[in-house]
Amino acid sequence: MTIADGTPPVVGRGTRLRQVVEALGRAAPSVVLLNVPAGMGQTTFLGALATAATDEGWRVVHADADGEFTVARDTRPDAFAKRLRDALDVAEPSAITGGTRDFAVDASTQRPVQDPVLEALREHRDRWLLLLDGFRPSPTFAAWFRDTFVGDLLAHGRAAVVVADTDSALEPFATLPHERVTLGALDRDEVRDLFRALAPTTEPPLTAEEIEQYTEASVWRPDVVGALYRLLTLPMRPGQRSLVPTV
C-alpha cells in the first residue's frame, strides 16, 4: 500500500469506482454525471477512474499540456474542439467546430465526407472516454455540448463522457439518458482497513481506538485521509519517539 512519493492510495471509493466502470461497460453509449460536493475528492477520483478505464481497454482523454479537461464560462466550442482533436490525434479539419453535423463534400463524388472524429470512432476498435473535471459553461456552450457534441459522438457507440461537478452544474444534462453517481462519504470499511494496515508500522503502533478515531475523522474528509496517510508513512527521524498524531 506504500507509494514511493508519499501520495496516499485512493481509498474509500472502491464501490463508486466500480459503479462508474460498470456503467461505462454497458452496451449503450454512456453519459455519467458525477455529482461531487465541494472537497470530496473530485480530481483524485477522476485520476483513479482514468487508470481503471485504461485497464479496461478505454482510450482515456483526461488531461493534456493545458491541464485537465474542464469547461468554464469562457470556454468556446472551437477551442474545446481543438484540444480534443489534438488529444485524439485527429487530423484537420476540426471535427467539432461549427457543429458535428456540418460535413464537407467530396469533390469527386459529391457525397458527404464523414466528420473526422466520428469517422475515427467508426474505423478504430478503441473505445474512448472523455473525463471532464468540472462543467461551468456559458448557456451557449452548454446547449452545444449537450445537443451537438454529446448527441453526435455518443450515437456511434464507441465513446463515453464523464462529467464531474456539483449537482446544480450538471442540470444541462437532465434531459439526457445518463447514469448519475454521487460521491458522498468515503466507504467506512475501506478507510478503516487503510489505518489497520498502517497500524503495525507506526511507533507506537496504532491502537484499535485510534484506528476508529482516524476513521471517524476521515470519512467526510478525503483530504484528512491523505494527510494522515502521509504523516503515518513518514520515515522516523533519529531520536523521534512517535509519529502518531492527536485526533
Side-chain angles (χ1 to χ4, degrees):
M1 193 173 291
T2 301
I3 299 176
D5 64 1
T7 302
V10 176
V11 64
R13 297 298 189 201
T15 299
R16 290 290 178 260
L17 195 59
R18 288 189 294 274
Q19 183 181 354
V20 175
V21 171
E22 289 170 2
L24 296 174
R26 293 175 190 143
S30 299
V31 178
V32 178
L33 305 182
L34 194 61
N35 175 22
V36 192
M40 292 308 295
Q42 173 173 304
T43 298
T44 300
F45 184 85
L46 287 179
L49 177 58
T51 299
T54 299
D55 291 344
E56 292 292 321
W58 290 86
R59 181 180 176 187
V60 179
V61 179
H62 181 206
D64 60 10
D66 294 327
E68 285 87 9
F69 273 77
T70 62
V71 174
R73 295 287 295 183
D74 60 351
T75 301
R76 304 189 317 274
D78 57 342
F80 181 86
K82 184 179 187 310
R83 285 188 67 187
L84 182 59
R85 189 175 67 249
D86 291 346
L88 291 173
D89 296 322
V90 174
E92 296 284 357
S94 170
I96 303 171
T97 302
T100 59
R101 294 185 179 86
D102 295 340
F103 302 136
V105 174
D106 186 325
S108 63
T109 64
Q110 294 303 305
R111 291 183 299 182
V113 176
Q114 181 60 278
D115 182 311
V117 162
L118 301 183
E119 189 70 23
L121 293 178
R122 175 158 42 205
E123 291 183 355
H124 298 302
R125 295 182 180 275
D126 293 342
R127 301 172 299 169
W128 72 270
L129 171 64
L130 173 62
L131 302 181
L132 287 182
D133 192 358
F135 190 79
R136 304 293 176 91
S138 66
T140 299
F141 187 100
W144 167 81
F145 189 88
R146 180 189 64 237
D147 300 334
T148 299
F149 178 82
V150 171
D152 280 0
L153 293 186
L154 298 192
H156 285 259
R158 293 188 182 275
V161 180
V162 173
V163 185
D165 213 313
T166 61
D167 189 54
S168 60
L170 301 177
E171 282 309 307
F173 297 97
T175 59
L176 289 177
H178 61 263
E179 177 114 0
R180 185 181 291 266
V181 176
T182 298
L183 292 189
L186 300 177
D187 184 282
R188 191 177 304 272
D189 290 337
E190 287 188 38
V191 175
R192 184 182 292 110
D193 287 345
L194 170 69
F195 291 124
R196 281 176 176 165
L198 293 175
T201 69
T202 65
E203 181 59 41
L206 294 179
T207 66
E209 181 180 359
E210 287 168 334
I211 290 171
E212 290 303 316
Q213 288 177 333
Y214 294 167
T215 300
E216 290 301 318
S218 303
V219 290
W220 282 102
R221 294 287 304 276
D223 56 330
V224 170
V225 175
L228 288 172
Y229 177 87
R230 285 186 289 270
L231 179 61
L232 294 171
T233 56
L234 282 174
M236 294 287 289
R237 297 190 299 273
Q240 186 170 1
R241 299 181 61 185
S242 176
L243 280 174
V244 178
T246 300
V247 176

